[in-house]
Amino acid sequence: MLDDEHDPKGGKVRRIRRIAVVGALAMLAAACSGGDSGVVDTTPPATSEQTTSEQTTATSEQQPAPVEEPARGGRLTAGTTTEPTSLDPVLETALTSYLVLLPMYDRLVRFAPDLAYEPQVAESWSWSDDGLEVTFVLRQDVTFHSGRALRSADVVYSYERWTSEEAISQGLFANVSSVEALDDYTVMFTLIDAAPNALLAILAANGGLLMDRDVVESNGDLRRTSGGSGPFMFGEWRSGSEIVLVANPNYWDEGKPHLDELVFKIVPDEVSAVAALRAGEIDWFQFSDPLVATQIDGASGLTYTESPSLAYQYLAYNFNLPPFDDPNVRQAISFALDREAVVDLAADGRADVTGPIVPAQTELVLPFSEFTSYSHNPQRAQQLLTEAGVTDLSVTLTANSGNAAHVGIAPVVAEQLAAVGISVSIEMVESGVWIDRLTTFDYDLILGSSGGAPNPDIPFGNSFMCNGPWNYSGVCDESFDELVRQVWAASDEDRISGYHELQRKLVNDLMPYSFLFVGRSLWGWADEVKGYEPLPLIERRFETIFIEN
């Protein structure tokens, strides 16, 4: 696993003393994901196959040499087809909102390009021998956009806000019993169960964003402002038109960002984005429809590229609504699906069929032969519907009209289900309505998109456990939850076999989703845009971009 790749460099990490808890986080509720600091991250505590007394706190002062000297200044205009509903991290789950807000925030740790963990605001961290306590030492040169220094009390406040009643993702830290500021630049997390990989994955994803208490309290929330310390600051929001971010002149990562301004311009659709790129109205765009994206392949003055992705598409079932609470009905629908045809017709073949763990995570992936309902078998689908006593089934399939993948997938799925006697009415709704439908369980079947996760601890815990903050199917199986907790704390070998068993149980027994495919990230930008490195994450690191003179 990439979570355990760091080789010890020697040296003991002292046993961390438990001290009185200054502030406790509210737990167990309900959902939601720069630059090098010169310090390489510390390994999680050793597993059962390793010695637990040895930990790593290694440093490296090597910096990658730039391909070319970044130019300073200029504006990048990035296109987006959906206007964010707000810019407050704890109130958002939409990927379109995170596209705009993420450049304004930092984390304690983040994912490196190779998807290992690397420092950001935390310059180092160390684990107690039992894996229940992790202590972070913070950089002392980080300031919020307000000008106030970021200290350990701000880390405590951020996680109190992430776990507050207003937070959509309040269940992310259900395994954290307390977060404590030991001094101005040292903070300790105490866990309920030893699950270091899961905690680091959450901190490196959206749940790790650090917020300025003063800004939140003066504004009431962060819907239309920035309470972060990231490379860009909030500038202006022209509703229906564009959102302007400006460079943070006091950003701790020297030399970044290179741009003066980062503008997110609202475009009606992806076809309009192609026209805007060609006309120079936008400089950067990420596509989801390959039939549209490839129109700029070879276009003069534009760069087109495809890169690996962890994002996948799925069909979710509402467990609260008969007959989808019947596993035979869910299995029947899965047998009715021809996933290869979905890839060919909805993604122009530029995607790969996937299970709960995407093909890129090779050592954890199971062959589809392990999934009993992955073969296209309409006869078996009809047999299961008959056994369930379901006839003349009519369903509504809800999809996001602003998601090109949904627009392509919906008619293909409807036609395949019609072939086994299931009548499908497609309900295309705009993004905000789609989110409401999903999060309030107001659907029969719904198409969903996951941004993916470098570490499966995040989706397995958040989407499929009974109290998972992203559990929008209603699936609940205590034995599955217990197995997830065991896998979180397992050794490498047991972790791999544990995730294999979790996938079998999820697909063959529970089936909250019919997993469809993982696409490829499709990018277009102007030739003068340099320094951008596509990552298989929902995070876009605009601070590395510069405009060639």
Side-chain angles (χ1 to χ4, degrees):
M1 281 299 299
L2 57 89
D3 308 302
D4 300 305
E5 285 178 346
H6 311 287
D7 294 325
K9 305 291 186 184
K12 300 277 187 177
V13 169
R14 61 183 178 82
R15 175 69 178 148
I16 303 168
R17 242 180 349 107
R18 293 183 181 270
I19 23 186
V21 174
V22 173
L25 296 179
M27 289 293 125
L28 298 171
C32 180
S33 178
D36 299 332
S37 68
V39 184
V40 177
D41 72 336
T42 305
T43 60
T47 63
S48 59
E49 295 183 351
Q50 301 167 315
T51 62
T52 58
S53 62
E54 297 288 332
Q55 302 294 327
T56 304
T57 308
T59 61
S60 170
E61 298 186 357
Q62 294 182 351
Q63 297 286 342
V67 175
E68 53 186 302
E69 186 66 28
R72 301 289 303 173
R75 162 193 284 216
L76 177 84
T77 301
T80 177
T81 57
T82 305
E83 186 169 15
T85 52
S86 90
L87 300 178
D88 192 326
V90 306
L91 303 180
E92 288 299 321
T93 58
L95 300 182
T96 50
S97 295
Y98 271 90
L99 172 70
V100 180
L101 72 86
L102 282 175
M104 296 189 287
Y105 290 89
D106 286 326
R107 307 168 173 84
L108 289 174
V109 300
R110 71 176 190 174
F111 288 109
D114 65 357
L115 303 184
Y117 300 113
E118 68 179 10
Q120 198 171 36
V121 170
E123 63 183 10
S124 66
W125 58 94
S126 56
W127 292 90
S128 61
D129 293 344
D130 59 10
L132 292 175
E133 296 170 345
V134 56
T135 300
F136 294 91
V137 177
L138 310 186
R139 300 180 60 98
Q140 298 187 23
D141 57 354
V142 180
T143 58
F144 286 115
H145 298 160
S146 65
R148 185 173 64 81
L150 190 158
R151 294 189 170 97
S152 55
D154 298 300
V155 178
V156 175
Y157 169 75
S158 296
Y159 293 100
E160 287 174 344
R161 190 161 190 259
W162 276 111
T163 56
S164 66
E165 291 185 0
E166 69 174 335
I168 293 177
S169 307
Q170 56 191 258
L172 280 173
F173 297 97
N175 190 43
V176 177
S177 65
S178 67
V179 179
E180 180 181 1
L182 304 184
D183 59 38
D184 279 352
Y185 295 101
T186 309
V187 65
M188 182 172 72
F189 285 67
T190 301
L191 307 184
I192 298 170
D193 298 310
N197 289 316
L199 177 64
L200 289 179
I202 292 168
L203 296 180
N206 292 348
L209 303 184
L210 301 174
M211 294 166 280
D212 186 339
R213 178 199 291 267
D214 294 348
V215 175
V216 175
E217 292 180 347
S218 64
N219 288 274
D221 55 47
L222 298 172
R223 293 176 187 272
R224 289 202 169 218
T225 189
S226 165
S229 60
F232 291 93
M233 308 187 299
F234 181 77
E236 184 179 4
W237 189 332
R238 304 181 184 113
S239 294
S241 176
E242 63 185 20
I243 299 172
V244 180
L245 306 184
V246 297
N248 177 0
N250 300 311
Y251 194 51
W252 56 269
D253 191 358
E254 187 175 356
K256 295 178 183 173
H258 306 305
L259 301 167
D260 288 334
E261 289 188 339
L262 172 59
V263 179
F264 294 93
K265 183 178 180 64
I266 315 302
V267 295
D269 50 48
E270 296 198 1
V271 173
S272 301
V274 170
L277 279 167
R278 286 175 167 163
E281 296 170 359
I282 62 174
D283 308 307
W284 179 99
F285 192 82
Q286 182 179 3
F287 294 89
S288 57
D289 187 341
L291 294 175
V292 176
T294 51
Q295 293 178 29
I296 65 167
D297 191 6
S300 176
L302 297 176
T303 297
Y304 172 76
T305 190
E306 300 182 6
S307 64
S309 173
L310 299 175
Y312 61 84
Q313 309 297 326
Y314 61 86
L315 175 69
Y317 304 95
N318 188 345
F319 277 52
N320 300 314
L321 185 68
F324 309 110
D325 57 344
D326 186 332
N328 281 338
V329 173
R330 301 194 298 273
Q331 292 286 346
I333 292 174
S334 183
F335 275 116
L337 296 174
D338 183 344
R339 290 169 172 80
E340 292 289 354
V342 173
V343 167
D344 290 339
L345 296 172
D348 193 35
R350 287 178 166 83
D352 299 291
V353 174
T354 190
I357 295 180
V358 301
Q361 295 168 314
T362 52
E363 64 183 356
L364 298 179
V365 172
L366 281 178
F368 297 145
S369 59
E370 297 270 0
F371 302 143
T372 55
S373 62
Y374 255 55
S375 59
H376 179 50
N377 191 335
Q379 293 75 27
R380 179 59 177 152
Q382 291 171 322
Q383 179 185 357
L384 286 169
L385 290 172
T386 300
E387 292 175 3
V390 174
T391 58
D392 300 322
L393 179 58
S394 295
V395 304
T396 298
L397 172 60
T398 302
N400 182 351
S401 61
N403 185 315
H406 288 198
V407 173
I409 293 168
V412 179
V413 168
E415 182 177 354
Q416 292 177 355
L417 297 189
V420 299
I422 300 175
S423 176
V424 178
S425 173
I426 298 174
E427 179 192 35
M428 282 286 177
V429 298
E430 59 92 13
S431 179
V433 175
W434 174 82
I435 291 172
D436 287 341
R437 291 271 200 276
L438 179 69
T439 57
T440 61
F441 298 91
D442 184 16
Y443 67 89
D444 298 344
L445 305 175
I446 191 167
L447 289 176
S449 301
S450 170
N455 185 325
D457 291 354
I458 298 176
F460 274 76
N462 294 336
S463 298
F464 308 127
M465 291 178 74
C466 293
N467 293 318
W470 306 336
N471 183 347
Y472 299 131
S473 67
V475 63
C476 184
D477 184 276
E478 294 292 348
S479 64
F480 179 86
D481 289 10
E482 179 57 31
L483 183 55
V484 170
R485 286 188 283 268
Q486 291 174 10
V487 170
W488 282 350
S491 65
D492 281 356
E493 183 176 349
D494 290 342
R495 181 175 167 83
I496 293 171
S497 62
Y499 266 116
H500 289 171
E501 181 57 31
L502 283 172
Q503 291 173 86
R504 294 186 193 97
K505 188 171 183 64
L506 195 64
V507 175
N508 298 338
D509 299 337
L510 302 179
M511 190 169 282
Y513 299 169
S514 282
F515 299 91
L516 298 174
F517 63 77
V518 56
R520 296 166 197 161
S521 293
L522 312 173
W523 312 88
W525 57 75
D527 284 350
E528 60 266 25
V529 173
K530 303 295 182 182
Y532 182 68
E533 181 181 2
L535 300 173
L537 307 167
I538 69 167
E539 180 183 3
R540 312 299 174 225
R541 294 183 180 162
F542 293 105
E543 67 270 21
T544 66
I545 289 179
F546 62 95
I547 306 299
E548 186 176 55
N549 293 324

